[in-house]
Amino acid sequence: RRGLEGENRVLIEQALARTHTLPKLEGRAALQQTNLIAKTWLVLAFLSFSQGDSTRAVFATRKCAQLARQTGDKSLLARALGFEYSSKMALGDPVDVDTILNEGLVAARESGEPFANGMLLGMVGTRMMMVGQDLETAQSYIEQGLALLKESDNRWGFTMILLSMAIALKYMHRFAEARSNLAICFPIFQEMGDRHRVNMVKSELAHMEREEGHYETAEQMYRGTIMEWQRLGHRAAVAHQLECLAFLAKVQENGEHAATLFGAAEALREQIEISMTVVERVEYDREVADLRAGMDKSAFESAWTQGRAMTMDEAIGYALHGQI
């Protein structure tokens, strides 16, 4: 929750790699050991999802779900399936999502645990809202999820769903509602010392300023948020912010700068093997195609190639100062 997710992910991966060296146990001790390993896979799923690595998150959730089925831990199974559903939706992968959702809903109900039920409903509802799927059902899931999380007295989980709902509202261009949710989230995450989520709130506010045409304000906000993502080691977020700064450069008719930033972001995403979400892809494809059509072909390709040759730190320096 302090936002040091890169370091945490390394430790979790190392721990999971060593599980095969654990002694073979029997009875209740074996059950406890298996359950602990399953929970560790869920931690990895959360960290991967939080860092934009939905492919790794799907892998981790499946490992967790497999073990949770063995131990009969319905609460753990419900949370794992919630992350698997959300990760697959972020990837634009519809295969088996209905099966995952149905099993998750049954597991959540059978767990009798408000937190597990609330997190599943909240995650599924907000992700459905983000992609514009069955908004009435999505809204119902979110309302039920928030009520259950409030009942569970899990403040962090409740606030995370509010944040996800704000992001979904932003994608629907319901900016006033999105800002109201973010205004609730921000001081709570600050109090918790959650640097990652604090910067997420600031980033979402910057995105809305950009979409509303307040380009100078958005650029100033991105200058702060991209440096914080750099400090936190969140490379997928850095890539997305390079893309957003490229959108702004295009609006300002600085095509060469925009193409260079797009190239740098593309190379970074290839390096970390994390693609943009299906929702982000829509704006990206439209803006890149428009930029390409409006520039001389050789100038576009030269700038793009220059960006691809940059390191992440060089790309950030170029984005902020116009030079490496």
Side-chain angles (χ1 to χ4, degrees), residues 35-46:
N35 202 47
L36 178 58
I37 294 171
K39 288 179 177 179
T40 309
W41 278 112
L42 185 64
V43 173
L44 179 59
F46 168 73

Side-chain angles (χ1 to χ4, degrees), residues 33-93:
Q33 184 185 77
T34 301
N35 202 47
L36 178 58
I37 294 171
K39 288 179 177 179
T40 309
W41 278 112
L42 185 64
V43 173
L44 179 59
F46 168 73
L47 292 169
S48 301
F49 183 76
S50 183
Q51 291 199 308
D53 192 351
S54 296
T55 300
R56 184 61 172 165
V58 169
F59 176 82
T61 57
R62 288 176 176 170
K63 288 285 191 179
C64 175
Q66 180 184 11
L67 297 175
R69 292 186 189 102
Q70 291 178 23
T71 64
D73 190 328
K74 299 294 186 179
S75 171
L76 192 58
L77 178 60
R79 282 177 282 159
L81 293 170
F83 275 115
E84 183 176 3
Y85 177 91
S86 298
S87 300
K88 286 176 70 69
M89 293 287 278
L91 290 167
D93 178 7

Side-chain angles (χ1 to χ4, degrees), residues 18 20 37 62 101 136 138 207 245 254 299 309-311 320:
R18 295 175 186 175
H20 71 280
I37 294 171
R62 288 176 176 170
L101 174 58
E136 186 175 343
H207 298 329
L245 286 163
N254 192 341
M310 294 178 180
T311 66
L320 298 180

Side-chain angles (χ1 to χ4, degrees), residues 18 22 35 52 80 98 107 116 147 149 156 169 194 231 265 273 283 291 298-299 315 317:
R18 295 175 186 175
L22 293 173
N35 202 47
D98 290 337
L149 287 167
W156 187 80
L169 289 166
D194 190 333
R231 282 191 290 271
E273 298 182 324
E283 180 181 20
L291 178 65
S298 61

Side-chain angles (χ1 to χ4, degrees), residues 23-37:
K24 298 296 181 183
L25 304 177
E26 295 182 359
R28 183 173 178 79
L31 189 68
Q32 290 174 332
Q33 184 185 77
T34 301
N35 202 47
L36 178 58
I37 294 171

Side-chain angles (χ1 to χ4, degrees), residues 72-293:
D73 190 328
K74 299 294 186 179
S75 171
L76 192 58
L77 178 60
R79 282 177 282 159
L81 293 170
F83 275 115
E84 183 176 3
Y85 177 91
S86 298
S87 300
K88 286 176 70 69
M89 293 287 278
L91 290 167
D93 178 7
V95 177
D96 295 331
V97 291
D98 290 337
T99 301
I100 294 165
L101 174 58
N102 290 333
E103 184 183 5
L105 290 171
V106 170
R109 283 196 299 270
E110 291 180 351
S111 76
E113 185 182 293
F115 174 70
N117 212 339
M119 285 301 293
L120 174 73
L121 290 168
M123 284 191 290
V124 168
T126 53
R127 186 55 59 176
M128 289 173 66
M129 183 182 283
M130 285 181 199
V131 299
Q133 176 186 337
D134 194 353
L135 296 180
E136 186 175 343
T137 300
Q139 186 67 40
S140 174
Y141 282 162
I142 293 168
E143 290 173 1
Q144 293 177 61
L146 288 172
L148 286 163
L149 287 167
K150 194 170 185 179
E151 178 187 339
S152 74
D153 202 30
N154 190 299
R155 193 180 183 210
W156 187 80
F158 182 88
T159 312
M160 285 294 292
I161 299 304
L162 278 183
L163 174 60
S164 296
M165 188 176 179
I167 295 171
L169 289 166
K170 179 207 68 178
Y171 283 129
M172 299 171 70
H173 293 91
R174 291 162 60 178
F175 294 145
E177 295 168 83
R179 285 188 171 100
S180 294
N181 271 19
L182 293 175
I184 297 170
C185 297
F186 188 73
I188 297 173
F189 288 134
Q190 275 191 316
E191 179 188 333
M192 291 179 174
D194 190 333
R195 294 166 58 193
H196 178 116
R197 251 56 61 174
V198 165
N199 210 46
M200 274 187 74
V201 171
K202 291 179 180 179
S203 295
E204 294 303 326
L205 291 170
H207 298 329
M208 286 189 282
E209 292 290 336
R210 176 173 59 81
E211 293 191 41
E212 290 176 322
H214 306 148
Y215 301 126
E216 290 186 9
T217 300
E219 183 175 354
Q220 288 302 314
M221 294 175 75
Y222 284 137
R223 286 176 174 273
T225 53
I226 195 171
M227 291 177 67
E228 180 64 4
W229 289 130
Q230 182 185 29
R231 282 191 290 271
L232 293 173
H234 195 323
R235 294 178 295 172
V238 169
H240 182 52
Q241 302 239 312
L242 289 173
E243 291 152 1
C244 291
L245 286 163
F247 297 151
L248 290 175
K250 176 177 173 291
V251 167
Q252 295 160 357
E253 300 185 352
N254 192 341
E256 182 179 337
H257 191 75
T260 303
L261 291 176
F262 280 134
E266 179 185 68
L268 177 56
R269 287 192 179 278
E270 289 174 4
Q271 178 187 348
I272 62 178
E273 298 182 324
I274 298 178
S275 60
M276 61 191 73
T277 68
V278 65
V279 181
E280 292 166 349
R281 172 64 65 181
V282 175
E283 180 181 20
Y284 176 87
D285 286 347
R286 181 185 69 237
E287 294 300 308
V288 169
D290 188 55
L291 178 65
R292 186 190 298 271

